[in-house]
Amino acid sequence: MRISITPTFLESFSKLPRQAQKQAQDFLVKFEQNSRSASIHLEKIGSFKDQSLRTARISDKYRAVVKVPKTGDIHYLLHVDNHDEAMRWAEDKVFAWNEHTDAVQLYTAPDALAPNPPAAPAPSRTAPPRLFAAIRAEDLLALGVPEAWLERVAALEDLDQLDLLSGHLPDDAFENLFGLADGLPLAELLETMRLGKAKAEDASDMEKRLQSPNNRRNFWLPDDQKLAEALSGDWQKWQIFLHPSQNLLAYRAKTSPMKVTGGAGTGKTTLAVHRAAHLARQGKGPILFTTYTKALVAAIEAQLGLMGLADSARETIRVQNLDALAFQLAREHELLPTGWSVLDFEKNSETELSQLWRDATVGLDLSPEFAREEYQEVIAAQGLRELRSYLVASRQGRGASLSRRQRAEIWNAYELFRKTLEERRQIDRAELFNRCHAHFAPLMASQKPFQHVLLDELQDFAAPELRLVASLVPEKGELLMVGDPFQNIYGRKLNFQQCGISVRGKRSQRLKVNYRTTQQIRSLALRGLAGSAYDDFEGGQESLAGYISLHHGLQPTLMRFDSPDEERAEALAQIRRWIDEQDILPEQIGAMTYRREDLSKLRTLLHNQRLPYLDKPEQMHDAKKEGVRLLTLHNSKGLEFKAVLIFAYESSSSITRHLRHDPPRREQARKDYGALSYVAMSRAVQFLYLSGRPEAIESLSPTQNNNA
């Protein structure tokens, strides 16, 4: 007999008291040995809608809900709880094989629910509209809608009615229906479902069919060791269950450049970790896994450590942030003279760089800031080495045009800037990447340092960095880039064509299901993005169509304060309530501010109340270190917390007030702050508390941002 584990079982198991978990583990051993044992007491319940479901005795108090197959030996563990709660959970559930999607589905029997509520009346409406009136029944079936649900789905009039069916429809069906209603093409959704089916040669083998992409999101056939590890807490859900879109990309046979984008919480890093592990198991190293910040390196290392890789496979994966990698490569290949340094890597580098550009632009009509941006976004971005190349270079996206004379002046300022750095035995960061690229780009495939590169947080990178990454792998190797354009908090601009990378067509994919936050938190986080367009790195705009959270929860708490003292006192009280009343561990709480001085005030409050805290970025990923995580909004990237508190929140108009006489820069700063707010709020898994001045909180009102 084989046991298949579902996410609903693991989630319910994780909520059991420790003693009950031990009893459940003992039960599984006995159940696998003999499911018909009298001590198991596999019982058919007459009141269940699905008569193939059984309850099994774990102890006098606890029961498991099991699907017993009509044929074959695979039993499906669906839920575990107290006797009465387990019975209530199972009474209206249906567990069935869907031949249209070639997948097993778990859903609520539609006749157990109240009828669709009436939609809000529309003026001068003669007949009720239907949300899916243009979709044929056969297409709804192909999207995963069970036949028993067809009539109910066909009668839906708006998104509010559809939203009420979350948790009742099968996840794949609800996700596809939401995508349709949100503007995703029917053909795209149908193709994804088709690709996720089992291979034709596996049609007669149920075990192989259960391992198809369409099933991997909901079912897992572990061996005894992996099951024991999962139930002992050594495994996490993301290691086991993958969405079909993730599965198809992580375990594909072909290697080629690929861009994968997705909103916060859609599992982009998870996908990259699975892909790295898959390549390593196949002996396709050496592999580079790189990202922008040092803090994320620790998180990636930790996730790779949970993938069960043999030592020999794990050693083929090098995890390093790109700044450190570039500096190390430059040293190893003598691209940087002995004793030279990179100014950007040193303390107070921003102050020094600003002064160098002021010195280099003395006497010019153009501002130092403009000249510096021109260097970064045109000269360095395109790797230009001489004036004549710059004179004819494209400046798309730079706004005002420049005369030939002005370009020559900027080039002279750049030359003076570079000469001054050389006299100081320094180079700047962009020059470091361009030197490395110039060295590695012409090398033969056998001379490249890596066979495959996986790049996380793509939106944090600029053109010189991406060109270098692309030059480190042979043409037939893999360059997998994952990121979220809406988390572009540094205002970086990328153009894949300019970097010599082709990710057109099917080489660009988008993940849409948010596994981290609730629908309520996701909705609030998106409000900061309203009114701004975010580039997809290919000359188009990134879309949020179909971006959905399948989990529902409490509305975020928004608090308005005129008094900073009152706001600080209530922030402290909220942290206390989470710890004392919600049983949330301090390390599961992220307390964030935009300004460091506000964070310092919060730190003092926690210190005076003797509440443990951590405030060093490099400690944030260490789950073993106790304490509320104190961090700025910028340092929240790549993290997640059960509860997030954002203190002293400010509106974008307040943040950008100093740029009121420079409309283009003010608009970019407003856009960057919107992305930053989105990043910070989307770190919350279950609870989000946000406080600030009344006008700042009012800026998050749905009436102010109607695109949320």
Side-chain angles (χ1 to χ4, degrees):
M1 188 188 82
R2 294 297 307 278
I3 291 178
S4 178
I5 303 293
T6 64
T8 54
F9 179 84
L10 284 183
E11 288 166 6
S12 57
F13 175 87
S14 68
K15 297 174 183 177
L16 295 178
R18 187 169 298 277
Q19 180 59 32
Q21 288 184 351
K22 179 63 171 63
Q23 292 172 337
Q25 289 173 289
D26 293 340
F27 155 80
L28 288 176
V29 173
K30 297 175 184 176
F31 184 75
E32 195 167 18
Q33 291 173 347
N34 181 8
S35 64
R36 303 296 175 180
S37 167
S39 63
I40 297 295
H41 194 60
L42 201 61
E43 183 178 6
K44 183 177 182 179
I45 308 298
S47 60
F48 283 1
K49 294 282 187 183
D50 186 341
Q51 286 293 290
S52 69
L53 300 187
R54 302 285 188 271
T55 63
R57 184 195 301 275
I58 291 175
S59 68
D60 290 342
K61 185 177 181 181
Y62 292 97
R63 295 291 185 276
V65 180
V66 183
K67 157 73 176 185
V68 176
K70 291 182 180 179
T71 60
D73 65 346
I74 300 176
H75 290 60
Y76 305 85
L77 290 175
L78 308 181
H79 193 73
V80 58
D81 208 334
N82 289 304
H83 176 278
D84 291 350
E85 285 77 4
M87 296 285 283
R88 280 194 292 271
W89 182 89
E91 61 185 357
D92 295 327
K93 294 291 189 299
V94 175
F95 185 94
W97 183 268
N98 188 321
E99 293 291 345
H100 300 280
T101 63
D102 199 34
V104 180
Q105 294 180 320
L106 179 66
Y107 56 89
T108 304
D111 59 1
L113 300 178
N116 292 334
S124 64
R125 189 176 75 184
T126 57
R130 293 291 183 263
L131 193 57
F132 302 112
I135 310 300
R136 300 177 304 169
E138 52 263 45
D139 288 330
L140 291 175
L141 290 170
L143 292 175
V145 177
E147 290 190 31
W149 272 94
L150 279 179
E151 184 177 348
R152 180 76 177 255
V153 167
L156 292 171
E157 298 180 17
D158 59 27
L159 267 173
D160 289 336
Q161 289 185 352
L162 173 60
D163 197 48
L164 292 175
L165 300 183
S166 176
H168 298 295
L169 278 166
D171 283 350
D172 53 0
F174 179 81
E175 177 190 321
N176 285 330
L177 291 173
F178 184 93
L180 273 182
D182 208 30
L184 291 180
L186 173 63
E188 176 185 320
L189 296 169
L190 290 173
E191 177 67 1
T192 299
M193 296 303 291
R194 184 190 69 79
L195 291 173
K197 293 182 178 181
K199 298 177 182 178
E201 59 266 28
D202 296 335
S204 61
D205 189 330
M206 178 54 72
E207 186 167 326
K208 289 185 177 180
R209 292 177 81 181
L210 281 173
Q211 295 174 18
S212 71
N214 281 354
N215 274 306
R216 277 286 303 275
R217 69 183 292 166
N218 286 323
F219 300 98
W220 178 45
L221 282 165
D223 57 34
D224 291 344
Q225 179 183 349
K226 289 184 177 180
L227 177 59
E229 289 173 345
L231 298 182
S232 66
D234 292 336
W235 280 62
Q236 300 179 27
K237 186 177 176 180
W238 61 265
Q239 298 168 251
I240 301 169
F241 303 104
L242 286 182
H243 186 275
S245 59
Q246 293 173 306
N247 191 287
L248 288 166
L249 293 171
Y251 294 96
R252 68 189 189 279
K254 188 176 180 180
T255 58
S256 62
M258 176 76 69
K259 180 194 75 171
V260 180
T261 59
T266 52
K268 301 177 292 296
T269 302
T270 293
L271 160 66
V273 167
H274 274 266
R275 183 60 176 170
H278 177 64
L279 293 171
R281 290 190 186 103
Q282 293 185 320
K284 293 188 175 182
I287 300 163
L288 171 66
F289 200 135
T290 189
T291 188
Y292 184 68
T293 66
K294 294 179 182 178
L296 288 178
V297 168
I300 293 167
E301 289 271 18
Q303 290 190 37
L304 283 169
L306 295 172
M307 290 301 294
L309 290 171
D311 290 344
S312 57
R314 177 63 186 86
E315 289 169 0
T316 66
I317 306 174
R318 177 173 173 178
V319 184
Q320 192 170 22
N321 81 295
L322 197 56
D323 280 355
L325 174 71
F327 189 75
Q328 187 171 338
L329 290 174
R331 289 290 195 207
E332 291 174 356
H333 294 270
E334 299 181 349
L335 307 178
L336 194 62
T338 302
W340 281 47
S341 65
V342 181
L343 176 55
D344 305 63
F345 295 172
E346 297 181 3
K347 192 175 182 180
N348 301 321
S349 62
E350 181 57 35
T351 301
E352 292 192 47
L353 283 165
S354 296
Q355 184 60 52
L356 287 173
W357 279 104
R358 283 194 293 270
D359 294 342
T361 53
V362 171
L364 296 187
D365 293 335
L366 301 171
S367 71
E369 292 79 15
F370 182 89
R372 181 179 176 182
E373 290 171 359
E374 184 75 6
Y375 162 64
Q376 291 172 333
E377 297 179 17
V378 180
I379 297 173
Q382 298 179 40
L384 305 178
R385 311 304 296 178
E386 51 190 17
L387 173 59
R388 62 181 180 180
S389 299
Y390 174 52
L391 291 175
V392 296
S394 169
R395 298 182 61 257
Q396 185 176 1
R398 285 289 293 142
S401 61
L402 292 177
S403 67
R404 186 180 181 88
R405 178 185 62 81
Q406 288 173 315
R407 290 202 191 202
E409 288 180 344
I410 288 176
W411 185 267
N412 288 336
Y414 157 59
E415 290 280 21
L416 180 58
F417 166 75
R418 188 173 64 176
K419 181 180 179 181
T420 304
L421 280 180
E422 288 177 355
E423 291 171 352
R424 295 162 50 132
R425 298 174 64 80
Q426 291 178 318
I427 61 172
D428 74 309
R429 185 172 177 274
E431 176 64 17
L432 171 69
F433 286 104
N434 282 335
R435 285 192 189 185
C436 289
H437 168 262
H439 173 80
F440 288 105
L443 296 182
M444 298 176 60
S446 60
Q447 297 173 306
K448 299 286 187 178
F450 302 102
Q451 289 301 303
H452 307 285
V453 171
L454 300 97
L455 185 151
D456 196 12
E457 302 289 355
L458 168 65
Q459 72 281 350
D460 293 344
F461 290 81
E465 300 148 3
L466 192 58
R467 267 206 316 275
L468 168 59
V469 169
S471 72
L472 298 178
V473 290
E475 186 177 345
K476 293 185 179 181
E478 174 156 320
L479 175 58
L480 174 64
M481 302 164 289
V482 302
D484 180 2
F486 298 105
Q487 294 188 51
N488 188 351
I489 64 176
Y490 303 115
R492 299 287 164 75
K493 296 178 181 179
L494 270 182
N495 183 306
F496 282 113
Q497 287 185 322
Q498 192 179 81
C499 297
I501 301 170
S502 176
V503 286
R504 295 283 185 179
K506 292 185 177 180
R507 289 185 176 184
S508 283
Q509 299 290 328
R510 187 163 65 90
L511 304 179
K512 307 177 186 72
V513 180
N514 181 339
Y515 291 99
R516 179 190 300 140
T517 67
T518 64
Q519 185 79 344
Q520 289 78 6
I521 293 172
R522 182 197 69 89
S523 178
L524 180 65
L526 290 178
R527 290 179 194 166
L529 303 177
S532 297
Y534 290 81
D535 183 57
D536 67 354
F537 314 127
E538 298 175 68
Q541 291 184 14
E542 184 72 2
S543 170
L544 280 167
Y547 178 43
I548 183 177
S549 295
L550 298 179
H551 304 294
H552 287 246
L554 299 174
Q555 288 291 345
T557 300
L558 303 180
M559 300 291 289
R560 299 165 172 82
F561 292 95
D562 290 312
S563 165
D565 289 339
E566 290 180 6
E567 183 180 3
R568 286 192 285 270
E570 182 55 30
L572 182 64
Q574 180 59 63
I575 292 173
R576 281 284 190 194
R577 285 194 291 270
W578 279 334
I579 295 172
D580 297 337
E581 299 174 16
Q582 300 290 342
D583 292 327
I584 298 177
L585 298 174
E587 49 269 31
Q588 296 174 321
I589 299 173
M592 309 175 189
T593 64
Y594 176 69
R595 301 185 190 278
R596 292 187 181 278
E597 53 265 36
D598 291 319
L599 195 65
S600 178
K601 294 171 184 176
L602 195 55
R603 181 191 300 112
T604 300
L605 283 175
L606 293 176
H607 176 77
N608 291 339
Q609 292 292 316
R610 297 186 178 180
L611 279 171
Y613 64 85
L614 292 177
D615 59 357
K616 292 181 172 53
E618 62 271 17
Q619 297 176 325
M620 297 298 166
H621 290 277
D622 190 344
K624 296 179 181 178
K625 290 187 179 294
E626 183 185 4
V628 175
R629 271 46 176 169
L630 296 180
L631 60 164
T632 63
L633 303 189
H634 282 88
N635 287 335
S636 69
K637 281 176 62 65
L639 297 167
E640 66 176 52
F641 303 97
K642 192 170 184 179
V644 164
L645 180 144
I646 299 178
F647 169 75
Y649 182 78
E650 299 185 53
S651 64
S652 61
S653 59
S654 172
I655 294 294
T656 61
R657 187 176 293 121
H658 67 290
L659 296 171
R660 58 185 177 276
H661 299 305
D662 190 344
R665 293 186 68 199
R666 186 176 189 182
E667 174 55 27
Q668 183 61 51
R670 187 194 70 80
K671 181 177 173 180
D672 293 347
Y673 185 68
L676 184 62
S677 297
Y678 161 71
V679 168
M681 294 184 208
S682 61
R683 302 307 96 192
V685 174
Q686 189 172 352
F687 300 101
L688 175 60
Y689 171 100
L690 194 146
S691 70
R693 303 280 290 180
E695 60 272 18
I697 302 304
E698 184 61 31
S699 71
L700 293 171
S701 167
T703 59
Q704 300 294 320
N705 300 281
N706 56 17
N707 290 340

